[in-house]
Amino acid sequence: MRKEIDALGEMMLPDDVYYGIQTERNRRCLDITDDTISAYPALIAAIAQVKKACALTNKEIGALDPDKAAAIVQACDEMTAGRFNDAFPLCIFRGSGTPFNMAANEVLGNRANEILTGHKGADAVHPNTHVNMCQSSNDVVPTAKTIAVWNEIGRVIAAAEHLEKAFSQKAEEFADVVKMGRTCLQDAVPITLGQEFSGYAAAMRRNRLRLEEERGHWCGGVLGATAVGTGMGCMPGYTDTIYKNLSAVCGREIHCDANLFDGLQASDGFIVLHAHLLALATAAAKAAYDIRLMGSGPRAGMGELVLPAVQPGSSIMPGKINPVMAEVMILACHRVAGNQAGTGFGAFSGELDLGPSSAVPIRGILESIDILTRAMTLFADKCVAGLAANEEHCRAAAESSTSLATMVSALFGYKVGSRVAKLAWNEGITCREAAERENLLTHEQADDLFDLLALTDVRKTEALFKKYSDIRDV
């Protein structure tokens, strides 16, 4: 055990832990959930990058001894690599501000001290004096969260593109599979299964591009603002140098926010970002709902798609196959929808010179990114990629639909079309057969006008109407 001292007294800590007395105090008083910062390695890696940039800057301006700076930098690299992820046992709901910053200072300080002296402690590197030099929790933590968000958005963008490609491949595969389109779950007009899947692919692409654009808004920081935006506590030269080093550490350009006071107060960015995540989830869920519905059956449902079997679907019905991957996608999107509410509530809770506690928004954003990334990847690989079309069933259902009387009504008027639809329904025949029985069309004309694949192409349909415009007077 080792003894540590702070303004409130002293405490014994196990020798093997890298966090210190302030982290332990926060761990004890904020013990309301097992959901801790340790579960969010993206945040830990991001704050390590911030601390590394600060140490390099303070060394460069002559405020920090080079040996101490080198030890802190090494500790930061180890933290970025995930070595100390278990050293942040802080409740995410309140520990993501000052407790998070102090935990990082303590872990990095203890490790840097260990590098220099062979033991943990603060005799060579102090968590506040050396690691936290020129910083405040109020500018460190928001900047770390911004870095984490930018890094994590890349994951969900890649997953969205992966699902988009899976939909596009099925759109090509199902290009000639004619089926009945449906509106309000009622027969509409013919469509191809490929056209439906092209819509899913387009929705994913649209939302992916929105997220790519949104990602560009997460390239700023508020380092140098310190507590309230005035920069009090910064050493000479720090604010002019920090963003050069932060950009180098992160491997991309990061700039200082145009207005540091706004940067500390702002919360609207969380709402905008998560709204994009929710929009992506909405598109993915729509496709999953549709696929589950088109795959319902196999004999007593729509049965247009054959979903890949990944697990039995019932403990009592041996023949039931559960469309589990589509359901997982849907349920993941439900969780994202819930996180949108939490993000909104969290963003409204700030006052005066500091924005709201962003614990709930950042937790929701990181969880939504993670769950969407995982769910979309699994959905693409375990469901969409293995889908097969029940082509004969799709065509038979389309050919038998009374909605095909639309072709008759377009040529002869709505009243005649209704008569043909009624006859087809009452006699149990197709609209094509009804139109021939009513002597409205010859067999050859019906071949053209009831070519289902042609009816899914607007140009071909227009050409048919033009070709047979003269029979309207019959």
Side-chain angles (χ1 to χ4, degrees), residues 181-328:
R182 293 180 180 83
T183 56
C184 305
L185 292 181
Q186 301 296 303
D187 293 358
V189 295
I191 191 173
T192 70
L193 200 54
Q195 287 169 327
E196 288 182 326
F197 273 79
S198 76
Y200 304 146
M204 297 308 296
R205 180 176 187 275
R206 180 178 62 254
N207 284 284
R208 172 176 61 81
L209 292 177
R210 285 173 176 168
L211 270 172
E212 288 179 359
E213 181 180 357
E214 173 62 22
R215 193 185 194 191
H217 297 300
W218 294 81
C219 294
V222 290
L223 288 179
T226 62
V228 297
T230 61
M232 181 178 175
C234 288
M235 300 295 180
Y238 175 86
T239 55
D240 295 329
T241 311
I242 182 59
Y243 287 94
K244 175 196 71 175
N245 287 317
L246 185 60
S247 298
V249 168
C250 294
R252 61 187 175 88
E253 184 177 355
I254 300 178
H255 60 264
C256 181
D257 281 4
N259 187 303
L260 290 177
F261 304 102
D262 172 53
L264 292 186
Q265 298 167 14
S267 59
D268 49 291
F270 290 122
I271 298 176
V272 173
L273 170 60
H274 201 279
H276 285 300
L277 295 173
L278 180 59
L280 175 63
T282 301
K286 169 63 166 63
Y289 272 116
D290 288 354
I291 288 170
R292 186 176 67 164
L293 190 59
M294 287 188 283
S296 60
R299 294 184 177 178
M302 281 190 181
E304 295 174 345
L305 286 172
V306 179
L307 276 62
V310 295
Q311 70 175 44
S314 172
S315 61
I316 191 173
M317 296 172 284
K320 182 180 178 184
I321 300 299
N322 195 342
V324 62
M325 298 316 304
E327 291 180 352
V328 165

Side-chain angles (χ1 to χ4, degrees), residues 18 27 49 65 83 96 107 142 158 164-166 179 187 198 206 222 248 257 262 297 316 376 390 397 404 446 470:
Y18 280 92
R27 185 190 70 79
Q49 290 180 307
D65 175 80
R83 176 174 176 180
S96 67
V107 172
E164 174 191 337
K165 288 179 179 178
K179 55 162 285 185
D187 293 358
S198 76
R206 180 178 62 254
V222 290
D257 281 4
D262 172 53
I316 191 173
M376 288 191 298
N390 192 341
L404 290 181
D470 59 329

Side-chain angles (χ1 to χ4, degrees), residues 411-412 445 465-474:
L411 290 171
F412 300 101
Q445 289 171 335
F465 285 145
K466 185 176 181 179
K467 178 179 179 180
Y468 292 106
S469 60
D470 59 329
I471 69 173
R472 295 182 181 181
D473 299 326
V474 175

Side-chain angles (χ1 to χ4, degrees), residues 2 4 18-20 51 68 71-73 75-76 79 84 101-117 119-132:
R2 70 177 191 271
E4 292 199 7
Y18 280 92
Y19 61 79
K51 296 294 182 180
K68 290 181 172 63
I72 294 171
V73 165
C76 289
M79 183 181 287
F84 305 115
N101 183 43
M102 279 309 305
N105 292 334
E106 289 180 334
V107 172
L108 293 171
N110 273 316
R111 177 56 183 145
N113 209 80
E114 190 175 58
I115 292 168
L116 293 176
T117 68
H119 59 82
K120 299 179 183 68
D123 50 330
V125 178
H126 192 278
N128 293 82
T129 304
H130 302 115
V131 181
N132 197 62

